[in-house]
């Protein structure tokens, strides 16, 4: 047997060993996609000793359920130890059930189908935008993004959104290999997926190559090399047989069911290998090591080129790492003295930091004129504007989120994307993946409440803010005015996690007590009680409702009660502060608490407590003037005062003020 085929067969064996040993995983893709995985690893440029170096080729397994195959390849090419494969899917191992970037050498965490494909589009976009830094004789960015997908990836709608975007932007260094085995978990794909994938991608301006024999690694390699010369993104359709070589070949029975030991060994013997678990012949290692040595030579040449580039172009070289210090210092120069919507304030902040942060790039889902998330002194990126920093995502929220994740994953960019808050539902999983991977990026969500008014129920967010707060590792910041908007951006620049800014369409006044430093605690006393000796109640609010809370405070204090107002733009962040600070802002003994937010109330009872009250919106909105909607849902001064008076009488207690 040729050594290349032996390497492929060894990948199959190791993959089967992983799944059977764990008694968990997907066997079918291991056996039919191994020739593709081998061809990609043979052609790709990387260095297992420096797995994150910038000019490496990226390898994305969008069909992440085939992780055992990826890990097998990573072992043979020097990224993982055999012990890692033996711990497949075990607690705290380097080989989790689906690929995760916490494992060195894994470029993208992939799970839900279609996400990895869109991430790969983002990675390819990042590379193309980085080419602006290349100089004659110094092509420091010149690499490819490989992506292996399955039928399920192309069933998901995100794949069309991302493919259309990639074709429009001629992402020619994107090479996608399609494991077209015509079988999914429920059976033959002709039940659900009769699409002409070739025609779809050609319509999206992709170059498409069809290989009738997906086991022919020579044909796959040739197709990859042809793709490298293309001016378009390339899709290589490999007609394969799921579970190739096994007794269950071409059947959904081998999609996600681990083989028993006898079936595994029978399959391994058909590949001409011995059945000793996790044993690989020395000639396989020798072949792979030789390929790695060749890749390391390319790596060493690039390191020398990059060093020379740094000497010759020091300023441009420094721009290639995200350094937010200057941008953060610029935030302190911003001053606001007139009322404005927080989306307008966001635009000012965004453009202020953009002047000192060349890595800042991004755009909107065809809503730039509404979200105002645009870098004013730059054009849209495209064939005629390769240096443009704005990205026209089109009406593709789902792909936009995942593409933005790809931009962030590449490492050199700080990306942002924007749409209406209510449409964040379309990109929910992409946001979740950003949080899982702890990607530094900014989601700008405007039109933050029922104050959208006349647009009606479909465009008025109610549950969205609360649902976003449920995502771990995601900053969800709803500022009450322009000053707090600055704090939201500061949080985004300082945090090693994604940040969602929740911004208003309507104009808001600059509130007297707003403080950027204090807002960084997530919650703070924006308007203290006038009577420093006693405290009868606390009103907690976010966004546009903070103004209402302060006005209500004035009325209630005029009646002789001592009331404090707390602005809480980032609730989860507030509860991460030390107990002493939390107690200072929200004393435990103070049971008279009213929370106001024009959205779902469920999560606020942690703040309000058993004896407090949450005034919000637990029904869908309706079409009408914002003031009419606020009145309908009780978000008015008279109602707030009435509720607070009732709470004070019910509690009939006060505590000594801690201020």
């Amino acid at each position: 047997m040729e050594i290349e085929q032996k390497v492929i067969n060894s990948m199959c064996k190791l993959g089967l060993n992983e799944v059977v040993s764990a008694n968990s995983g997907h066997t079918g893709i291991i056996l039919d996609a191994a020739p593709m995985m081998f061809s990609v690893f043979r052609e790709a440029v990387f260095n297992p000793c420096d797995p994150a170096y910038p000019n490496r080729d990226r390898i994305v397994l969008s069909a992440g359920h085939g992780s055992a195959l990826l890990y097998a390849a990573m072992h043979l090419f020097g990224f993982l130890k055999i012990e890692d494969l033996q711990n497949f899917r075990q607690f705290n191992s380097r080989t989790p059930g689906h690929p995760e970037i916490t494992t060195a050498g894994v470029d993208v965490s992939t799970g839900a189908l279609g996400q990895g494909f869109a991430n790969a589009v983002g990675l390819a976009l990042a590379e193309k935008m980085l080419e602006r830094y290349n100089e004659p004789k110094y092509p420091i960015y010149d690499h490819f993004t490989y992506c292996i997908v399955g039928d399920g990836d192309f069933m998901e709608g995100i794949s069309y959104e991302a493919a259309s975007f990639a074709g429009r932007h001629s992402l020619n260094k994107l090479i996608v290999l399609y494991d077209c085995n015509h079988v999914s978990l429920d059976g033959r794909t002709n039940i659900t997926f009769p699409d002409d994938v070739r025609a779809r991608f050609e319509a999206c301006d992709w170059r498409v190559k069809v290989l009738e024999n997906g086991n022919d690694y020579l044909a796959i390699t040739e197709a990859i090399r042809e793709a490298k010369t293309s001016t378009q993104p390339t899709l290589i359709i490999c007609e394969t047989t799921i579970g190739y070589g096994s007794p269950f070949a071409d059947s959904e029975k081998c999609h996600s069911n681990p083989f028993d030991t006898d079936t595994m060994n029978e399959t391994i013997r058909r590949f001409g290998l011995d059945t000793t678990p996790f044993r690989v012949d020395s000639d396989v290692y020798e072949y792979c090591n030789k390929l790695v040595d060749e890749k390391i030579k390319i790596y060493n040449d690039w390191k020398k080129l990059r060093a020379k580039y740094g000497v010759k172009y020091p300023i441009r070289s420094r721009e290639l790492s995200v350094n937010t210090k200057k941008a953060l210092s610029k935030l302190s120069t911003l001053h606001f003295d007139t009322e404005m919507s927080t989306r307008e304030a966001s635009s000012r902040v965004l453009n202020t930091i953009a002047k000192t942060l060349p890595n800042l790039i991004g755009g909107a889902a065809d809503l730039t004129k509404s979200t105002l998330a645009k870098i004013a002194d730059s054009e849209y990126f495209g064939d005629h504007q390769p240096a443009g920093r704005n990205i026209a995502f089109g009406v593709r929220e789902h792909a936009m989120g995942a593409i933005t994740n790809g931009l962030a994953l590449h490492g050199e960019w700080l990306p942002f994307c924007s749409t209406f808050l209510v449409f964040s539902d379309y990109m929910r999983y992409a946001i979740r993946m950003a949080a899982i991977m702890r990607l530094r990026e900014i989601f700008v969500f405007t039109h933050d409440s029922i104050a959208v008014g006349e647009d009606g129920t479909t465009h008025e967010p109610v549950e969205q803010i609360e649902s976003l707060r449920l995502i771990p590792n995601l900053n969800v910041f709803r500022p009450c005015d322009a000053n707090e908007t600055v704090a939201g951006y500061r949080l985004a620049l300082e945090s090693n996690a994604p940040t969602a800014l929740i911004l208003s369409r309507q104009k808001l006044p600059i509130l007297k007590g707003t403080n950027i430093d204090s807002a960084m605690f997530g919650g703070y006393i924006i308007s203290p009680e006038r009577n420093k000796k006693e405290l009868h109640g606390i009103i907690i609010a976010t966004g546009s409702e903070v103004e209402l809370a302060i006005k209500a405070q004035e009325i209630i204090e005029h009646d002789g009660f001592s009331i404090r107002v707390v602005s809480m733009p980032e609730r989860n962040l507030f509860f991460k502060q030390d107990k002493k600070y939390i107690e200072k802002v929200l004393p435990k003994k103070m049971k008279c608490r009213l929370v106001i937010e024009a959205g779902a109330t469920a999560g606020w009872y942690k703040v309000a407590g058993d004896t407090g009250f949450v005034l919000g919106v637990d029904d869908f909105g309706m079409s009408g003037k914002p003031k009419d909607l606020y009145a309908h849902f009780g978000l008015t001064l008279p109602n707030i005062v009435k509720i607070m008076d009732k709470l004070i009488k019910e509690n009939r207690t006060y505590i000594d003020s801690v201020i």
Side-chain angles (χ1 to χ4, degrees):
M1 147 187 350
E2 294 180 343
I3 186 59
E4 291 85 358
Q5 188 61 56
K6 190 173 184 180
V7 173
I8 294 170
N9 293 353
S10 297
M11 284 185 185
C12 293
K13 174 186 173 179
L14 288 173
L16 290 178
N17 289 162
E18 292 174 69
V19 172
V20 172
S21 176
N23 194 31
S24 177
H26 297 71
T27 50
I29 188 173
I30 295 170
L31 301 175
D32 67 48
M36 283 179 275
M37 189 67 75
F38 166 74
S39 300
V40 167
F41 268 77
R42 183 166 71 171
E43 291 300 303
V45 176
F46 53 78
N47 181 359
C49 299
D50 187 3
Y53 92 89
N55 199 42
R56 71 190 185 280
D57 290 338
R58 271 62 172 181
I59 300 174
V60 180
L61 179 62
S62 188
H65 56 279
S67 59
L69 174 60
L70 176 64
Y71 299 147
M74 290 176 67
H75 167 67
L76 295 180
F77 284 87
F79 290 96
L80 294 171
K81 297 178 180 179
I82 200 69
E83 292 80 9
D84 294 319
L85 273 57
Q86 292 169 337
N87 286 321
F88 177 60
R89 288 190 168 218
Q90 303 309 300
F91 177 73
N92 209 28
S93 75
R94 298 180 66 203
T95 49
H98 287 75
E100 297 181 19
I101 60 172
T102 50
T103 299
V106 174
D107 290 313
V108 177
S109 296
T110 52
L113 295 174
Q115 287 287 322
F117 173 76
N119 294 156
V121 171
L123 287 166
L125 175 63
E127 191 279 339
K128 189 152 191 171
M129 295 184 79
L130 284 166
E131 290 178 5
R132 69 188 65 177
Y133 286 97
N134 290 345
E135 296 287 350
K137 299 182 181 180
Y138 293 92
I140 58 170
Y141 285 101
D142 182 17
H143 57 266
F144 293 87
T145 298
Y146 296 94
C147 183
I148 295 178
V149 304
D151 293 299
D153 290 289
F154 287 162
M155 292 187 202
E156 291 286 0
I158 190 175
S159 67
Y160 170 72
E161 292 182 29
S164 176
F165 179 92
R168 169 61 186 86
H169 290 283
S170 304
L171 302 182
N172 58 302
K173 291 184 178 176
L174 174 60
I175 302 174
V176 178
L177 295 93
Y178 173 23
D179 174 21
C180 183
N181 58 41
H182 304 288
V183 173
S184 62
L185 185 61
D186 284 347
R188 307 297 299 181
T189 56
N190 59 12
I191 301 172
T192 56
F193 189 54
D195 303 30
D196 186 338
V197 173
R198 176 175 188 165
R200 183 209 295 185
F201 275 77
E202 287 179 340
C204 289
D205 204 21
W206 282 56
R207 177 181 177 275
V208 181
K209 177 81 171 181
V210 179
L211 302 179
E212 294 182 359
N213 181 4
N215 289 305
D216 188 345
Y217 67 87
L218 291 175
I220 297 172
T221 301
E222 182 181 354
I224 290 174
R225 291 175 180 174
E226 289 176 358
K228 290 181 178 181
T229 66
S230 176
T231 59
Q232 305 162 274
T234 296
L235 175 67
I236 302 171
I237 301 176
C238 300
E239 296 285 348
T240 60
T241 301
I242 191 170
Y244 176 79
S246 77
F248 301 113
D250 202 29
S251 167
E252 69 273 12
K253 293 180 180 179
C254 65
H255 181 273
S256 58
N257 297 323
F259 291 171
D260 58 34
T261 302
D262 290 340
T263 302
M264 175 184 70
N265 289 337
E266 178 184 349
T267 304
I268 291 171
R269 282 191 289 268
R270 290 182 182 183
F271 288 136
L273 301 176
D274 76 84
T275 57
T276 306
F278 296 104
R279 182 184 180 280
V280 179
D281 289 343
S282 59
D283 57 343
V284 171
Y285 284 125
E286 289 170 3
Y287 177 84
C288 293
N289 289 340
K290 184 178 178 181
L291 288 177
V292 170
D293 288 342
E294 294 173 0
K295 299 175 192 300
I296 291 176
K297 289 179 182 177
I298 297 173
Y299 164 82
N300 289 332
D301 289 341
W302 179 84
K303 289 284 284 185
K304 294 175 183 176
L305 181 72
R306 182 64 179 84
K308 291 178 181 178
Y309 179 91
V311 173
K312 192 171 180 64
Y313 305 101
I315 296 176
R316 289 170 65 76
S317 179
R318 286 194 294 270
E319 290 180 359
L320 292 169
S321 59
V322 179
N323 187 337
T324 61
K325 289 182 179 179
K326 287 185 178 180
L328 285 166
S329 67
K330 283 288 184 180
L331 292 180
S332 62
T333 67
L334 284 166
H335 299 285
F336 302 94
D337 51 17
T338 59
E339 70 171 15
M340 64 177 67
S341 65
T342 50
R343 64 169 174 168
E344 291 174 288
S346 167
S347 178
R348 281 188 58 182
V349 179
L350 185 73
N351 279 281
T352 297
I353 63 177
K355 293 175 182 177
T356 57
L357 190 59
N359 318 71
L360 186 69
I361 58 172
D366 199 48
L367 286 170
T368 305
K369 293 179 181 179
S370 293
T371 65
L372 307 181
K374 183 181 181 182
I375 299 174
D377 61 355
S378 184
E379 302 295 328
Y380 281 104
F381 171 79
D383 295 336
H384 302 295
Q385 295 291 346
R389 296 167 65 184
N390 294 299
I391 302 168
F393 287 106
V395 188
R396 304 183 180 101
E397 287 90 355
H398 199 178
M400 176 179 71
I403 290 169
T404 303
N405 288 351
L407 289 169
L409 281 162
H410 205 280
E412 296 84 355
W413 299 116
L414 174 58
F416 65 88
C417 63
S418 66
T419 187
F420 291 174
L421 175 60
V422 73
F423 300 143
S424 65
D425 287 344
Y426 272 137
M427 51 194 293
R428 174 77 182 206
Y429 200 84
I431 298 171
R432 183 176 193 267
M433 291 307 301
I436 287 174
M437 293 185 277
R438 290 185 174 271
L439 301 179
R440 183 190 279 185
E441 56 188 276
I442 305 171
F443 299 107
V444 179
F445 296 132
T446 66
H447 297 59
D448 67 343
S449 71
I450 57 171
V452 174
E454 293 89 345
D455 279 339
T457 309
T458 61
H459 279 54
E460 292 168 14
V462 173
E463 73 279 18
Q464 280 74 20
I465 304 177
E466 201 57 58
S467 68
L468 289 172
R469 289 182 178 128
L470 293 173
I471 301 176
N473 304 329
L474 176 68
N475 301 315
V476 182
F477 199 97
R478 187 180 184 228
C480 70
D481 68 1
N483 290 323
E484 281 195 357
T485 305
V486 174
Y489 272 94
R490 178 175 159 186
L491 177 64
L493 293 178
E494 292 181 349
S495 178
N496 289 316
T499 298
L501 300 177
I502 313 300
L503 307 173
S504 73
R505 181 184 69 170
Q506 73 273 29
K507 292 183 182 298
L508 304 176
I510 307 301
L511 299 178
K512 181 181 178 181
T514 49
N515 184 284
I516 295 172
D517 291 334
S518 298
M520 295 299 293
F521 290 103
Y524 67 103
I525 302 170
I526 189 171
S527 184
E529 58 275 21
R530 293 177 186 173
N531 187 338
K532 304 302 181 184
K533 296 182 180 180
E534 59 184 24
L535 180 64
H536 295 95
I538 302 176
I539 304 176
I540 305 100
T542 75
S544 52
E545 290 72 67
V546 175
E547 179 192 9
L548 275 173
I550 293 174
K551 287 182 177 180
Q553 176 195 34
E554 294 174 356
I555 297 172
I556 299 168
E557 290 208 327
H558 183 74
D559 294 336
F561 296 107
S562 184
I563 301 298
R564 172 185 300 175
V565 176
V566 171
S567 175
M568 195 170 287
E570 220 297 354
R571 190 178 70 208
N572 292 337
L573 179 60
F574 174 75
F575 283 106
K576 291 178 183 177
Q577 306 306 318
D578 61 67
K579 293 181 179 179
K580 185 177 179 180
Y581 179 80
I582 294 173
E583 175 66 19
K584 178 182 177 181
V585 177
L586 296 178
K588 289 182 180 178
K589 291 183 179 180
M590 176 43 62
K591 304 298 183 181
C592 180
R593 301 180 184 182
L594 170 62
V595 178
I596 312 171
E597 183 174 69
T601 64
W604 280 109
Y605 285 94
K606 180 178 181 180
V607 177
D610 294 338
T611 58
F613 187 82
V614 183
L615 176 60
V617 180
D618 285 322
D619 196 358
F620 295 113
M622 57 187 70
S623 184
K625 299 291 185 184
K627 65 177 183 178
D628 294 331
L629 268 69
Y630 268 64
H632 175 77
F633 288 104
L635 294 164
T636 63
L637 269 178
N639 192 47
I640 293 170
V641 171
K642 179 181 177 181
I643 293 171
M644 200 63 190
D645 284 342
K646 182 181 179 183
L647 288 174
I648 292 171
K649 291 175 182 177
E650 287 176 349
N651 282 276
R652 293 183 179 278
T653 59
Y654 71 89
I655 65 172
D656 292 337
S657 175
V658 295
I659 294 181

